[in-house]
Amino acid sequence: MELIQNTPDLSAYLAPGEAIDHEHPLVWETAARLARDAADSYAYARLAFEFVRDTIPHSQDSGDPRVTWRASDVLEQGTGICYAKAHALAALLRAEDIPTALCYQKFDVVHGLVAVRFNGAWHRQDPRGNKPGVDAQFSLDGERLAFAPDPEFNELDYPVLYAEPHPVVLNALKAAPDRPHLWKTLPTAL
């Protein structure tokens, strides 16, 4: 699948925003801590991915009712669904000048992940969090995502790479008082 930038300006995928608030002190501190153990930007990206995937539980898996959407809130509260975890990873990567996009898949509901730019190409990564049946890994050599869409069930990969969260995703997160409510209002398409 060819990934398509929503905007041709690569600097948009480095910019801070409302949800990807990588200028927030907590994001900077976390990025700096991770960067100390990284030999290069690829190693840093892998460490940041594993940090978000493994240390911030997916709130559905953990049963946490809180809804987070801003990267700094995800890091502070240590919880989030796929979209929020993607926002946190994007902020950590952008804090270290790694172009990062938000991208989506369609299943029964829309699933959120990121794409990182290395060696002149975009590579999708899914920091959702592993569990039985889900084994997402950081890879620039073939995708190792949490889920693979099945076209027979009208599932698909959206090819567009967004610099900011898609409005239907961000609106659903912001409007939800808790995760049970959010689960009833998750977007089913972009």
Side-chain angles (χ1 to χ4, degrees):
M1 174 184 71
E2 182 182 349
L3 298 173
I4 304 160
Q5 290 180 207
N6 188 41
T7 177
D9 183 2
L10 195 58
S11 68
Y13 299 95
L14 290 166
E18 183 183 23
I20 304 172
D21 59 341
H22 65 273
E23 294 179 335
H24 188 281
L26 181 56
V27 177
W28 275 107
E29 291 164 16
T30 305
R33 188 174 68 248
L34 293 168
R36 282 195 294 268
D37 296 326
D40 56 26
S41 60
Y42 172 80
Y44 172 81
R46 184 182 47 75
L47 284 173
F49 168 85
E50 290 171 353
F51 173 80
V52 172
R53 182 195 65 191
D54 299 342
T55 67
I56 298 172
H58 188 289
S59 57
Q60 175 70 12
D61 296 348
S62 67
D64 194 320
R66 296 174 294 169
V67 175
T68 54
W69 57 270
R70 186 179 288 115
S72 58
D73 293 338
V74 174
L75 295 175
E76 179 187 2
Q77 295 181 38
T79 190
I81 68 165
C82 61
Y83 312 131
K85 290 181 65 150
H87 300 168
L89 179 55
L92 289 172
L93 294 171
R94 289 182 185 185
E96 289 294 314
D97 293 322
I98 298 170
T100 308
L102 300 168
C103 47
Y104 302 92
Q105 297 174 306
K106 181 189 180 307
F107 298 100
D108 291 339
V109 295
V110 174
H111 174 61
L113 49 157
V114 303
V116 295
R117 189 160 178 92
F118 277 102
N119 305 323
W122 289 101
H123 305 272
R124 294 189 308 163
Q125 313 294 330
D126 192 342
R128 180 229 178 270
N130 290 339
K131 62 181 186 174
V134 176
D135 183 28
Q137 301 295 325
F138 185 83
S139 175
L140 302 184
D141 184 30
E143 292 184 336
R144 301 276 312 272
L145 305 178
F147 309 110
D150 185 341
E152 274 189 44
F153 295 103
N154 294 319
E155 298 174 348
L156 59 91
D157 287 308
Y158 288 109
V160 178
L161 302 173
Y162 296 92
E164 289 293 322
H166 192 284
V168 301
V169 167
L170 195 55
N171 291 341
L173 289 169
K174 286 178 156 185
D178 57 32
R179 190 185 36 77
H181 180 272
L182 176 62
W183 236 240
K184 297 174 193 164
T185 60
L186 286 172
T188 56
L190 296 183

